[in-house]
Amino acid sequence: MYIKIKINSFNFHLGGLSMENLSVKELAAKLVGFKTVSTGENHCSVVEMAEWITNYLRPLGFTVKLFDYENHGKKNVNLLASIGGDTMPKLAFAGHMDTVGAGKWSGSDSNPNIPWELQLKDDRYYGLGIADMKCFLAIAIKAAEIISTEKLIHPFTLCFTGDEEVGCLGAKKLAEKIKKISDYVVIGEPTSNTPIYMHKGYMYLGINVGIKNSTGKDNPVHASNPTTSTNVIERVLPIVIGELSNIKSRLETICDERFKPFYPYPSMNIGGEFSIGRNDKEKTKQSKNIIPLGFYMSCEIRPLSGQDTNSLRALVRRVLNEALSNIKCQKPNESIELKVDFVRAPTLPMETPIASPIIKASSEISGKNPEAVVFNTEGGIFNRGGSETVIWGPSDISQAHVNNESVPQKILDDPFYVDQYLKLIRQFCCEGGKYV
Ligand SMILES: [Zn+2]
């Protein structure tokens, strides 16, 4: 039985400001209630959610700044909320406000499980984005609320972004305005409470190949006469796949043992998506009696720390260009066109020195050794700006991007999680702190 979580907030007034006081569970219910899907054609902004968080934090003494940017003509925002002075923050809790799409959520007509309502069933809280990563945002806001009543020696900040699920766009836009957000950063992505000091990057390449004739007319060519045009599937596709496989083999000669037990090489997935046609419009128009004149395929690469995503794309482009220049087309007036582009901007790999205070402190508090993972986050962007980042969040990565996303009840109900992050703030920002 799914039980909807009610928000029993009470408002009180302080110096003309209206203050709300919510539990972690109620904060999470509030955040899940905002539709912040950033993927797909009907993507939403996080503006409304960021404004609500602003109104929650300002009465607590936080200086909140919203940084506008545009994504496909729609306004979106990143949020920075600081307390404890105007100097460079010592510690930031960071996370993304957006989610992936809802997919298929189960339940029944009489007892529906609704993506945008936090619901409890069998010791688990359900809601879209609750694991990735609104549970952490709720815990971080609660920790911020408590620390606002204590004396800070160094500023503490919350950094909440938009559009992480579409290539960390929000964090990249923020980095254009603010190079460094804080000396140390905790990103609360799902890691089952294990501190992560290193992860791979992410590249999503689109490869388009098309046959062009010199007349510029690319009318469909009937297959009853195979000499009329070059069949791109027959002549070009095997070469493209062969060359990509060669690149994959070359990449697999580079190993970083620290990623074990995960795949310790840069991984490459060839042709995760595939369609016939020189462009999107043609995809649905192809039929069995038409000579295929083009195809599109995607290719995903997860580079290791230290590998440059632009150089890797240039390598794919150069190798394919060279191989395709040797293909003889059916007709002298035909040529092969190749495009290799990022479908969305790449995500940088991240590595923070294992001896960094933020890795040490999160490891001591959680009682877990730091590890490496193969998923990617905004951490590489923050580190490039001069921060040292740990990925350390309460929920489980197996719950990210799934239908009926959920977290164990204790994550929102047990004060353990707020307490551990509070400990960290006190160690870095408060008098007598170990890393002050
Ligand atoms: Zn996430």
Side-chain angles (χ1 to χ4, degrees), residues 120-181:
L120 181 65
K121 187 191 172 199
D122 300 334
D123 305 330
R124 292 188 78 85
Y125 284 113
Y126 290 80
L128 181 62
I130 187 62
D132 179 18
M133 57 184 285
K134 290 182 176 178
C135 70
F136 175 76
L137 301 188
I139 291 167
I141 291 169
K142 196 70 202 172
E145 186 182 326
I146 295 169
I147 213 71
S148 70
T149 63
E150 298 180 17
K151 194 173 179 308
L152 293 158
I153 306 271
H154 300 295
F156 164 74
T157 194
L158 294 173
C159 173
F160 295 166
T161 56
D163 291 312
E164 189 270 351
E165 301 289 4
V166 286
C168 300
L169 183 69
K172 282 170 190 162
K173 294 284 182 186
L174 186 64
E176 287 169 13
K177 292 181 182 164
I178 295 186
K179 196 168 168 271
K180 182 177 171 182
I181 58 161

Side-chain angles (χ1 to χ4, degrees), residues 273-286:
E273 297 160 305
F274 187 87
S275 59
I276 293 175
R278 286 160 301 187
N279 53 51
D280 278 348
K281 276 184 209 144
E282 282 184 351
K283 276 182 196 171
T284 51
K285 286 188 181 170
Q286 294 295 314

Side-chain angles (χ1 to χ4, degrees), residues 53-65:
I53 296 171
T54 302
N55 291 333
Y56 192 89
L57 293 173
R58 274 197 180 135
L60 302 171
F62 278 81
T63 305
V64 189
K65 287 182 192 159

